[in-house]
Amino acid sequence: MRQLVIALAALFFSTVLFAGGNAFVTSLLGVRLSLAQVEPLVIGAVLFFYSLGFVLGTHYCQPIIRRVGHIRAFAVFAAVLAIAALCYPLSDSMLLWALLRLVGGLSAAGVLIVIESWFSCAATESNRGTLFATYQIGFYSAVACGQLLLGLVPALSPVPFSVAAMLITAALIPLALSRMQSPVMEEVEALPFAQVFRSAPLGIVATLINGILMSGFFAMGPVYATLSGLSLPQTALFMAAAVFAAMLLAWPVGHFCDRHDRARVLLVVCVAAALASAGAQWLKPLGFAMHTAFAACYVGLTCSVYAISLALTNDRLARHQIVAASATLLLSYGVGSLIGPLLFAVLIRSAGPEIYFAACTALLLGLGGYVLRDLRRVPALAPEQQEDFVATVPELLPAMVELDPRNEDFDENANTLAEAFAEADAADRSA
């Protein structure tokens, strides 16, 4: 038991260090390119390659992990990500930066698959809900803290890239010092898009738009803030407040989702998020605090769209299809995440940063209109007929989907970390 607790602590600290360093790099690049007066369209194109690399990494990193093992794979992916962070100050070539973003996205996906598959291996029927929640809280707390680092370092110097590389490299230490055994990885097959779309088209459409909005915010949000005249510390607070709002709003949204028809809850969330986005647009002259508060509400509510969409889709499919449906919605979100940076870059270039929240409002109202259409087509389910709501986030990879507490296919008799440690101890004693 002692070894298991140490192993989980190592996983947690590695997750926090990696998430903080990686989030810091993502926001730093947008701010740095904006301060260097690079065209918004070029910024969006460069940042697009991170999403592309991440989507590719979810498919191509797993064979590498199976071939060399989790510890070696983690070391390789983290080292490549740290090297990429250190390479940015060496050149001003946007082609090189786009390549580094592609490599960064691939490596980040590999690191998260390693971490999440270990968390999944550590889970049992009695603790997987707690692990699921702890992982998300730790991950997003680290992301928020990574945003706050923006206000502590000079953005145009090489120093912040070195700080990010240090954090990512430090994530190696807890895992390298632990005695964890590599878990057995199971491939998660996605349901065909056509099958999910026939059963729950709203889930596909909502996750696609959610991917556009969320990737657009995390990629172009720092650019918007900088072009709007916010200082570096204000940009850091602007981004961090949004991440914290997403954490704070997850519970109340889930509370309503388990007591009301989820399509109607999604409609209310879309309208509320659109109003918050419009507030961030039109009430900006009232000051930084008001602007940040409305923007944070917009991001917090919009972030919950993914979890509502996943729960709504699960309501309309068989329970044994939950994991496969989750993988399909992740793919839909991934497609949206490729569109977001480029779409908002084009809009900002053509109409200035003022168009940002107006476009977000329009997309949310469009999604709300689609929800209304779905409500007329599909009869509402009684709350007691609905699957349990889980406040999941789209950054969870297929390796972590099986840890979802709704997953009936979860195998409590799988090779958990506790069993692996027991086997290792037995081998040590026999030796």
Side-chain angles (χ1 to χ4, degrees), residues 135-198:
Y135 173 84
Q136 293 187 83
I137 291 170
F139 186 89
Y140 273 93
S141 297
V143 170
C145 292
Q147 311 296 335
L148 292 175
L149 286 174
L150 279 173
L152 303 178
V153 292
L156 293 176
S157 78
V159 172
F161 292 106
S162 298
V163 172
M166 289 166 61
L167 287 171
I168 294 168
T169 305
L172 278 164
I173 298 172
L175 285 180
L177 289 177
S178 71
R179 294 184 59 199
M180 287 187 291
Q181 308 296 311
S182 291
V184 177
M185 291 186 62
E186 300 289 339
E187 285 203 48
V188 178
E189 295 290 339
L191 283 175
F193 255 81
Q195 182 178 344
V196 178
F197 192 82
R198 282 195 301 269

Side-chain angles (χ1 to χ4, degrees), residues 364-375:
L364 286 164
L365 290 176
L367 177 57
Y370 193 86
V371 176
L372 280 173
R373 175 181 176 274
D374 187 83
L375 281 169

Side-chain angles (χ1 to χ4, degrees), residues 272-414:
L275 290 174
S277 177
Q281 169 83 10
W282 299 111
L283 299 180
K284 184 180 175 182
L286 295 182
F288 170 73
M290 184 69 71
H291 181 52
T292 300
F294 274 95
C297 287
Y298 152 72
V299 174
L301 289 166
T302 304
C303 193
S304 69
V305 167
Y306 181 85
I308 299 170
S309 303
L310 179 56
L312 191 149
T313 302
N314 290 337
D315 290 340
R316 299 178 183 181
L317 295 171
R319 287 186 65 85
H320 69 274
Q321 295 177 311
I322 285 179
V323 173
S326 298
T328 302
L329 293 187
L330 278 170
L331 184 56
S332 176
Y333 179 91
V335 173
S337 72
L338 295 176
I339 299 171
L342 291 177
L343 173 64
F344 285 102
V346 170
L347 291 174
I348 289 174
R349 183 194 183 192
S350 61
E354 295 77 16
I355 195 66
Y356 178 83
F357 281 108
C360 295
T361 303
L363 282 170
L364 286 164
L365 290 176
L367 177 57
Y370 193 86
V371 176
L372 280 173
R373 175 181 176 274
D374 187 83
L375 281 169
R376 288 193 292 268
R377 188 182 69 88
V378 180
L381 283 177
E384 58 271 13
Q385 295 177 294
Q386 297 178 154
E387 296 289 342
D388 293 336
F389 179 88
V390 176
T392 189
V393 291
E395 279 70 16
L396 296 180
L397 297 167
M400 196 68 166
V401 167
E402 64 186 41
L403 194 55
D404 189 324
R406 295 167 295 206
N407 178 15
E408 279 194 334
D409 295 331
F410 180 83
D411 185 1
E412 191 174 10
N413 298 315

